[in-house]
Every structure is written in C-alpha cells, then in structure tokens.
C-alpha cells in the first residue's frame, strides 16, 4: 500500500520537477584525477578536476575498484606536507548558500594498507578531520554562505597522517535564505551535516533529480524505534511554499508516525561536544491535524505544536555545547509525526586577515622572487610558512636566507607584527620603513649589509630585542634609542661602529653587545683616537626635481588604488593589492560645499533615495572588490549604471572622497569609464559609473566559461589600442596630468561593441606640485603589474603605467596571467618568461588560440612594443604616446593582412 502510493507520488513529483527545474544551474561536479567528462545515470554532468586543483605535486591514479562493479577515480597529493592542497571553486551566485560535498576513497589504492587521515577546510575554516581508517569511503557535506566569487576547498595533511586523497567533489547551490532561520546567534559559521533523514522511508537514499538541490536524504529506519512507529507514504499535494529550504515533496510525503505509544524519540549520536543546528519538517499528510510537544535533550522546545492538513511547516533549533542529541515528540493528540530531520554541526569560520596585511605579504612574496606557497588567507585554516598569527593578526614574519635587498615600505603595513626576523636577506643601506610597527618586540636584522640607522627606532616602544650583529653599520647609536624602555638586548657585534654609546643605554636592564666594532663604548675617552670620522644618519627626504621643459604650470595627480575597485563587472582576485591605510603623504586640503559640487559639469548629485530606487534596493550585485559591492542600476532615463557602494570601514575622509569625485568629473574621454554621478550623504559614499555590459578584459581572457570570450588577434589589438588611447589622454592631454597607477586587465572594461575603456581611477590622492618629473610615494599597485623600478625607488612616473600596460600587452599576446603557477617555476613571472622569447622573435609562446591567425609583421610590432614597455630601466621604455603610435601600426598591418 505504502509503496504503491509512494510510486504514484514519485511519478507526480518527477513530472513536476521536469517541468519546473530541469536544469542543473549552480551544480559543479568534479571527477578527481581522471580526465573524463561524462553524464551519469542521474543526468549529472561530471567534469575533470584538473583546472580547479592547485599546483604542485599532484598525481592521479586512474581508478580503484569499488566493492561493487563501479570504479572510483582517485587523485592523491604526495607533497601536501609542503603546503595545503586546494581546489578553487567558482561560485556563480554571490550572497547565496552552497552545499559542498567532497568524497574520499582509499580502498587500498596504493597497496600499502595505510588509510590516510587529514584535515579538510573551506575558506578559512577547518571543517573536518577525515580519517579513512574509521570510514572508507568518507562523505562530507558542508553548507556555506558565499561571500566571494571563489571558494577555496583544501586538503591539509596531518603529520604522519599519510597522503591525502580525493575522489569526487560536488558543489550545489541552495535556495535563497535556506538554513539561516534560527542561526541568528551564530554569525560567521558554516554547517556540517551530521544527519539528514527522510523519515518513514526505508528504501535507500533520495537525491537529485528528486531533490533538485541534490541533497542526500537517507532512510531513517536505523535511528527510530521502528517497533513503535509506522511509515506512511502518502502522495497528497502539499503547500510547501512557506519553507525556504524547499525539501522535495517526496521527502515530505513520507512520515514516521507513532501508532502504539504516546512517545516517539530519535537518539542521534554526535561525535563531539559542540553547537548543533536542528531542522524539523512536518507535513499534514494525514486527514487529521495532529498536535504534540517537542523536546530536545529533555527540554520542551515547543508545546502543542500543530500540523495543519495539507500544509508543510518547519522548525529550527540551535543547541549550544551538547554532545548527544535526542528529539522527542510526546503529549499527542492524534498521531505525533515527523516527516524529515536534519542535524548539523555549527562550525565557526575564523575571521580573515585584513586585506592590507594580505596585500603587503603578497607584495613581499613577489619581491623575494620566490614562490613561498602563500595563497589565500595567511592565518587560517593554517598559517603560511614563515608567518605566525594570533587570531586573524599576523604577529610574526621570519624570512631569512633569501634576497630581499631592502626593507620596502610594504613591511610598514604589517602593523600587528611582534616578531620580524630578516637575518641574512641581503639588506643594504639604511634601516627604514619600520616606524609604524609599534607592536614590534623582536627585530632581527643580523647578517646583512645595513650601513646606517634611520630615525625609525624612536617609535618602536615595545621593542625588547634588537639584533643588528654582522652588518656594516657605521657611526654610533642614535641618542633616541635610549627611549626604548623595554629594550633588554641590543646586539651590535661585528659592525663598523665608532664612538661613545649614549649614556641612556647604560642601564642594568639592558645588555649591549659591542664586540667586533672599530670602537664602541660607554666611555667617551676610549674612542677619542678615532673621532672626526663618524657619519651622521641622513633622514630620507622626498625630492621632486623640477621638470626642465614643461611649459605647463600643472600639477600631477596620482590616481591610485587607494579607493580600489570600482569596475563594474569586475571580480577581483585575492591577489589584488590594495592599500587602504592612508599614509603620510602630502594632501591638499580642499573642502568644497555640496553646492559647489553641484556645479561640476555632467556629474549628477544623487540622493541616497534615488540610488536606492535606481538599484532596486541594491538588488543585483555585479561585482565585489575589497572596498565594497558594485550593483547594477538604472537611471530614470533608462541608462544602465554600475553603482559602487563603499563599505563602512573603507570609507574615506571627506576630502579624499570629494577630491576623487571632482577629479573624475573632469576626465572625459571615450576610452575612459565615465562617472555619471555620486551620492554623498552622512553615512554613504557612493559612486555611479556608466555600466559596461561586456565585462572586463580579464573576464574575457581568463573568466569562467560563461564570461570567457574568444578574442582574435585583431580584436586584441583593437582593445589594446583603445586602452592606450585612454592612457595617453591621462598622461598627455588631461590637465592636470594623471598617472593611473593600477593598469591591469581587470581594469580594462568592454562595452557591448567590444570597445575598451580604462576604469578604476580609485579615490584620488592629490599631490599638487608644479612641474614634477616624479612623485615619491608609497608603492601601490597589483602584483605582476608593478613597475620594478617604482618598487625599488618609490618614485612614480608615467613610465610605471607604461610598464603595467606592457604586462597587459604580454597577456594579450600570450593569453596567460602575469603570475602563474601553472607551468614550470621559470614561467611563473610572465615578464621574465616571455620577454626573451619575444625579443628573439620566437613566437611559439603566443596564445595557442591565436596561432595561424595573426600577420607576422603585426605580431612582431606588438611584441616589440610590449617587450620594450616592460624594460626594467624606465628610461628605456617608450612613452605612452609612442606605444599608442606603434599599436596603431600593428593594428593597421593586421587589418590589411585580413583583407
Ligand atoms: C539531462 O539534463 C539536460 C540538461 O542538463 C536536459 O536537457 C536533459 O533533458 C536531461 N535528460 C533527462 C533524461 O532528464
Ligand atoms: C611527487 O611526489 C612523489 C612521491 O612523493 C615523488 O616520487 C615525485 O618525484 C614527485 N614529483 C615531483 C614532480 O615533484
Ligand atoms: C584514525 O582512526 C584510527 C582508528 O580510530 C585511529 O587509530 C587513528 O589514530 C586516527 N588517526 C588520526 C590521525 O586521528
Ligand atoms: C542568485 O541568487 C539570488 C538570491 O539568492 C537568486 O534570486 C537568483 O535566482 C540566483 N541566480 C541564479 C542564477 O542562481
Ligand atoms: C563576522 O564577519 C564579519 C566580516 O567578515 C566581521 O565584521 C564580524 O565582526 C564577524 N562577526 C563575529 C561575531 O565574529
Ligand atoms: C526500492 O526502490 C527500487 C527502485 O528505486 C525498487 O525497485 C525496489 O523494489 C524498492 N524496494 C522496496 C523494498 O520498496
Ligand atoms: C501556501 O501557504 C502560504 C503560507 O505558508 C500561503 O501564503 C499561500 O497562500 C498558500 N498557497 C496555497 C495555494 O494554499
Ligand atoms: C492544542 O492546539 C489545538 C489547536 O491548535 C487545540 O485545539 C487544543 O486544544 C490544544 N491542546 C492543548 C492541550 O492545549
């Protein structure tokens, strides 16, 4: 009887499903280690995992035999001890929930009879310890609230835990708003499935296509007192519209019902003490309205709960600090019943490290020229090598035996550092850029070639140990060092110092080691024979050399990434380096009233209400940068706009914001994304740009399948030509001159006709000085695009833009990103790898899909201008105007060749 009904119900539901939800949008199914794509018997499309899995030593065994006839693929990660092994999962729909379901099989594939154990993480959270001795296969399910465009899923080895393995990985997007009710007390958490039961059903598991979200609903008979209760399968139509979780009707149409006793209890073993989330589903499939009390671990959580006929309902409970779980239904009128139960462990998600710190570390990694294996978050789920953390703060950095050469300003951004060890890193010159590290307790700069003290040390009030041994320091110790009251060891051994030590250092609590110097002592008479030759530290000064030929009396404006990211369709990868800390740069104070702002031509002042209306209450986010979301909107006239809303914590000072708006409203060029308006009300800083539907050049080149566009060579030339026009305008035609400072593929947007426009002028920091040839400034930019000369000298010129643009040209030619772990270590850096080939006219490195389609002369021209643009020496690079002229030629050669 029950079975008959069920089958009937099934076909009804199946029909419903086919009509309404016949696609698999939001599904990603990876078949690990085998290169095949196929559609399985449930009509799910499986694809190989190769393009999602991280670099390094990964190996695939084709198959292992399952116990049944089915074969299971395996990928294993022999060097997971070196670094975590991650899958980067694209998540199409932001601000939604996804279910991530990895499956691990060992099955003695390696013949060693040693099932491995390892950690598994999502984002910054370690969600599970997989132990294949306990269960083989092992299936995990985690529900995760999406906040970024990609989700990192990693396998992390446990010492002596063996080699992590992976067989299947499924990602499913869940209905909007699902699994959030009742979770208010648990912000920043994810849910790890413990149980998901289809109550009253005994014939295996139900999943896709019956559950269009492909959750697996297991039969509950081994967990219920089956002697006391019955199963009911009744295919009545049900109103489930009130349930955000959208359980399949087939699951709700079976129930566990008490028939002989007044009580129904489920006992769920939990494998550890923790917080748990419980979802109970009820459906009025009986012709009565049963009511009952519900108890969790003996506590009444609902009295006289009534199930209405033909209606499905759901209850949510969260329980803190429990180790076992029992759910009881009692005090019934009619039959107490339950239709489905889900139990999840609530797993905390550690906070991410601040983007300033991550950016700074990435710049430091880049400057070492090494691949330190630094990816994703520095502190969680596990700390990066060479780094120590406290919560989400990076408190120690230990880089030694590599070539850093200078303590770059970037180190000054690591504000939480307590320990900095840079011994034997070829540091030379002055000790600098550390003055902001006020938490610093231990500083080791020994075994370098440092020659002088900066003025830095005064501010390092927490410094306890300063190790400067085996450098080339000259002169004596600055008097101000005496102010460091916590200092208890100062090691100056084996330098070239000469002179009396400040008496303020002569105290009991401080040990000063001085051996191996010319003459260094507290007694002023000891070194008298040596006097007269002590050098004095020169504090670093910013010098702007007047420009010789310029007749214009104009300032230069740096438009940087301080404000970061405002490109409409732009999803910014983690590697984007943006600094939001405002540094001690000269800022011209300008306070303008709103009335004055209204007079700026072509720029509309919008009220927050208008912005809200235009974006339909911020309904559609089309991008997210480190600084906020970008929403799609429509002005009353029908014009589409991209609306960038700044996060609270990244909001700028009034002056900076107004400066940016003012500047942007003056820049008008067909190849620059234009500002349509802005909103500046008490709590809001919103910029409104024209919307470009074509996405960014980065999307077109590297985007996920839907965004990727086949760009022919002539297209690529046209795009580069457009972008070059925009830049040439900024450098040479706009008044004042503007240096963009963050040229990269994701800042070049395409309109519907594939015309390119440059965007992201950031929030401007104006440095108005007449006739400057360069500006000395804190280094900002994006790894891979950063001008090395600017990086080492901190002197910014238009040529830095030329360098970054040269990198873009190389990307267009080679079809790959500036930094890539995909190939051999030699090919990591695009510039270093491609330049020699292109200079030699060896075009085998040209993007595979351009082969045979370009005119050789055109490619030669473009390759030549690209490789000269990325010359290390800025003076060897062409100007933007020259780049533009050469690209025009390359373009016209190609056009002629086509005809
Ligand atoms: C399988 O899925 C595809 C789309 O993913 C759909 O077009 C097709 O009709 C499905 N086939 C069956 C038998 O459901
Ligand atoms: C990968 O790891 C295996 C096992 O540790 C080792 O034999 C092999 O040489 C490694 N391959 C590379 C390319 O490092
Ligand atoms: C895995 O489980 C087995 C059996 O319970 C246990 O002996 C082993 O210590 C576990 N391994 C780890 C790394 O926890
Ligand atoms: C993306 O998510 C939103 C809200 O969760 C939903 O309304 C929309 O249908 C989803 N889009 C896709 C393509 O899944
Ligand atoms: C949750 O995360 C957000 C940002 O990721 C953070 O601002 C907030 O403080 C976190 N909340 C808690 C309770 O940790
Ligand atoms: C279980 O379902 C299968 C089809 O999925 C059916 O062939 C089988 O007879 C069912 N068994 C029972 C005991 O209902
Ligand atoms: C289904 O239930 C919802 C409330 O849960 C109600 O608003 C809606 O009208 C009902 N639909 C039908 C067809 O009864
Ligand atoms: C339980 O609720 C139903 C209807 O909601 C009501 O008829 C019944 O009297 C209630 N029972 C108790 C014991 O309160």
């Amino acid at each position: 009887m029950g079975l008959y009904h069920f089958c009937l119900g099934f076909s009804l539901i199946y029909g419903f499903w086919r009509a309404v939800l016949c696609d698999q949008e939001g599904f990603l199914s990876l078949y690990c280690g085998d290169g095949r794509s196929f559609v399985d018997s449930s009509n799910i499309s499986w694809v190989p995992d190769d393009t999602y899995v991280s670099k390094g030593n990964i190996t695939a065994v084709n198959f292992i035999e399952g116990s049944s006839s089915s074969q299971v693929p395996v990928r294993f990660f022999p060097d997971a001890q070196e670094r975590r092994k991650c899958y980067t999962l694209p998540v199409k729909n932001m601000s939604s929930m996804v279910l991530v379901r990895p499956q691990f099989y060992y099955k003695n594939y390696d013949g060693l009879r040693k099932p491995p154990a390892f950690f598994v993480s999502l984002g910054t959270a370690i969600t599970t310890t997989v132990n294949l001795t306990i269960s083989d296969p092992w299936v995990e399910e985690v529900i995760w609230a999406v906040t970024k465009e990609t989700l990192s899923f990693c396998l992390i080895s446990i010492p002596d835990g063996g080699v992590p393995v992976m067989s299947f990985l499924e990602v499913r997007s869940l209905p909007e708003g699902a699994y959030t009710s009742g979770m208010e007390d648990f912000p920043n958490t994810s849910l790890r499935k413990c149980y998901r039961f289809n109550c009253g059903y005994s014939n295996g598991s139900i999943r896709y296509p019956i559950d269009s979200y492909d959750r697996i609903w297991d039969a509950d008979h081994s967990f219920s007192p089956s002697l006391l209760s019955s199963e009911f399968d009744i295919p009545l139509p049900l109103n489930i519209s009130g349930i955000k979780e959208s359980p399949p009707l087939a699951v709700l149409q079976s129930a566990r019902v008490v028939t002989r006793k007044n009580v129904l209890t489920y006992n769920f073993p939990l494998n550890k003490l923790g917080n748990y989330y419980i979802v109970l589903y009820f459906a009025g499939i009986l012709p009565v309205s049963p009511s009952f009390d519900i108890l969790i671990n003996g506590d009444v959580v609902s009295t006289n709960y009534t199930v209405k006929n033909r209606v499905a309902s759901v209850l949510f409970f969260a329980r803190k600090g429990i180790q076992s779980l029992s759910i009881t239904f009692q005090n019934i009128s009619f039959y107490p019943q339950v239709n489905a139960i889900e139990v999840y462990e609530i797993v905390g998600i550690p906070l991410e490290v601040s983007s300033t710190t991550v950016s700074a570390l990435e710049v430091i990694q880049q400057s070492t020229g090494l691949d330190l294996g630094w990816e994703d978050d520095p502190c969680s789920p596990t700390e990066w090598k060479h780094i120590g953390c406290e919560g989400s703060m990076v408190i120690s950095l230990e880089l030694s035996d590599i070539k850093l050469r200078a303590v770059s300003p970037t180190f000054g951004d690591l504000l939480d550092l307590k320990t900095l060890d840079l011994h034997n890193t070829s540091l030379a010159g002055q000790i600098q850029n550390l003055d902001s590290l006020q938490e610093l307790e231990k500083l080791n700069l020994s075994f370098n070639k440092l020659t002088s003290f900066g003025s830095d040390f005064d501010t390092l009030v927490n410094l306890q140990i300063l190790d400067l041994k085996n450098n080339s320091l000259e002169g004596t110790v600055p008097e101000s060092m005496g102010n460091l009251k916590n200092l208890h060891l100062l090691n100056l051994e084996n330098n070239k110092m000469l002179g009396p030590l400040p008496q303020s250092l002569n105290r009991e609590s401080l040990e000063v080691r001085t051996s191996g110097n010319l003459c260094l002592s507290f007694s002023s008479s000891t070194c008298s024979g040596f006097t007269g030759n002590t050098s004095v530290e020169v504090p670093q000064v910013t010098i702007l050399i007047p420009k010789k030929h310029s007749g214009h009396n104009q300032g230069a404006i740096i438009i940087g990434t301080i404000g970061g990211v405002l490109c409409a369709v732009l999803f910014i990868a983690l590697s984007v380096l943006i600094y939001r800390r405002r540094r001690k740069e000269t800022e011209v104070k300008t306070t303008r009233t709103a009335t004055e702002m209204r007079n700026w031509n072509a720029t509309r002042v919008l009220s927050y209400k208008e912005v809200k209306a235009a974006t339909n209450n911020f309904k559609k986010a089309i991008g997210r940068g480190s600084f906020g979301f970008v929403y799609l909107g429509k002005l009353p006239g029908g014009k589409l706009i991209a609306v960038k809303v700044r996060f609270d914590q990244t909001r700028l000072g009034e002056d900076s914001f107004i400066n940016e708006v003012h500047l942007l409203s003056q820049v008008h060029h067909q190849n620059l994304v234009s500002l349509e308006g802005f909103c500046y009300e008490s709590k809001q800083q919103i910029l409104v740009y024209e919307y470009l539907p074509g996405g960014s050049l980065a999307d077109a080149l590297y985007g996920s399948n839907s965004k990727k566009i086949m760009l022919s060579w002539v297209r690529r030339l046209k795009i580069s030509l457009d972008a070059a026009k925009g830049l040439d305008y900024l450098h040479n035609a706009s008044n004042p001159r503007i240096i963009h400072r963050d040229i990269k593929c994701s800042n070049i947007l395409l309109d519907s006709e594939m015309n390119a426009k440059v965007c992201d002028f950031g929030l401007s920091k104006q440095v108005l000085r007449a006739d400057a040839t360069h500006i000395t400034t804190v280094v900002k930019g994006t790894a891979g695009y950063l001008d090395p000369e600017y990086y080492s000298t901190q002197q910014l010129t238009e040529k830095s833009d030329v360098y970054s643009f040269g990198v873009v040209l190389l990307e267009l030619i080679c079809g790959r990103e500036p930094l890539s772990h995909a190939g051999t270590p030699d090919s990591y850096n695009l510039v270093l790898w491609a330049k020699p080939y292109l200079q030699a006219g060896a075009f085998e490195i040209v993007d595979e899909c351009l082969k045979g389609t370009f005119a050789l002369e055109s490619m030669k021209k473009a390759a030549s201008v690209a490789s000269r643009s990325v010359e290390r020496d800025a003076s060897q690079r062409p100007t933007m105007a020259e780049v533009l002229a050469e690209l025009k030629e390359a373009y016209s050669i190609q056009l002629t060749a086509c005809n």
Side-chain angles (χ1 to χ4, degrees), residues 3-15 234-236 250 253:
L3 178 64
Y4 168 76
H5 276 132
F6 170 74
C7 292
L8 182 63
F10 177 84
S11 52
L12 285 176
I13 295 147
Y14 192 66
I234 303 179
L236 279 179
Q253 284 169 334

Side-chain angles (χ1 to χ4, degrees), residues 793-811:
T793 62
Q794 298 154 50
Q795 295 183 348
L796 179 69
T797 71
E798 283 95 335
K799 292 290 182 72
S800 301
D801 278 355
V802 172
Y803 182 92
S804 308
F805 186 72
V807 177
V808 171
L809 289 176
L810 291 179
E811 291 183 74

Side-chain angles (χ1 to χ4, degrees), residues 616-630:
N616 201 354
N617 204 7
F618 305 101
K619 191 152 177 225
K620 183 158 185 208
I622 48 177
R624 180 190 148 128
S626 320
F627 292 83
F629 281 98
V630 182

Side-chain angles (χ1 to χ4, degrees), residues 747-764:
N747 281 342
I748 297 175
L749 301 185
L750 304 174
D751 70 11
S752 53
E753 273 127 38
M754 304 285 276
N755 298 308
K757 300 190 182 201
V758 175
C759 76
D760 195 351
F761 307 95
L763 284 201
S764 58

Side-chain angles (χ1 to χ4, degrees), residues 316-336:
F316 303 92
F317 303 98
R319 279 287 169 273
K320 286 187 185 169
I322 58 172
Q323 196 152 22
S324 66
L325 175 64
S326 73
I327 301 174
T328 302
F329 305 89
Q330 66 176 35
N331 273 344
I332 40 162
S333 53
F334 305 113
Y335 304 114

Side-chain angles (χ1 to χ4, degrees), residues 192-250:
R192 173 177 176 249
K193 186 189 102 170
C194 303
Y195 301 99
R196 185 182 298 117
F197 282 138
N198 177 8
C199 301
Y201 184 64
S202 54
N203 193 9
S205 300
I206 282 183
R207 58 182 292 185
Y208 186 83
I210 298 175
D211 184 342
S212 49
Y213 300 96
D214 197 19
R215 285 161 294 196
I216 299 175
W217 300 84
D218 297 316
D220 71 334
H221 55 271
S222 55
F223 277 90
S224 61
S226 51
L227 286 177
L228 296 178
S229 63
S230 302
E231 300 162 7
F232 277 79
D233 283 346
I234 303 179
L236 279 179
L238 278 172
N239 181 357
I240 63 163
S241 64
I243 305 184
K244 286 183 182 149
E245 285 66 25
S246 294
L249 277 172

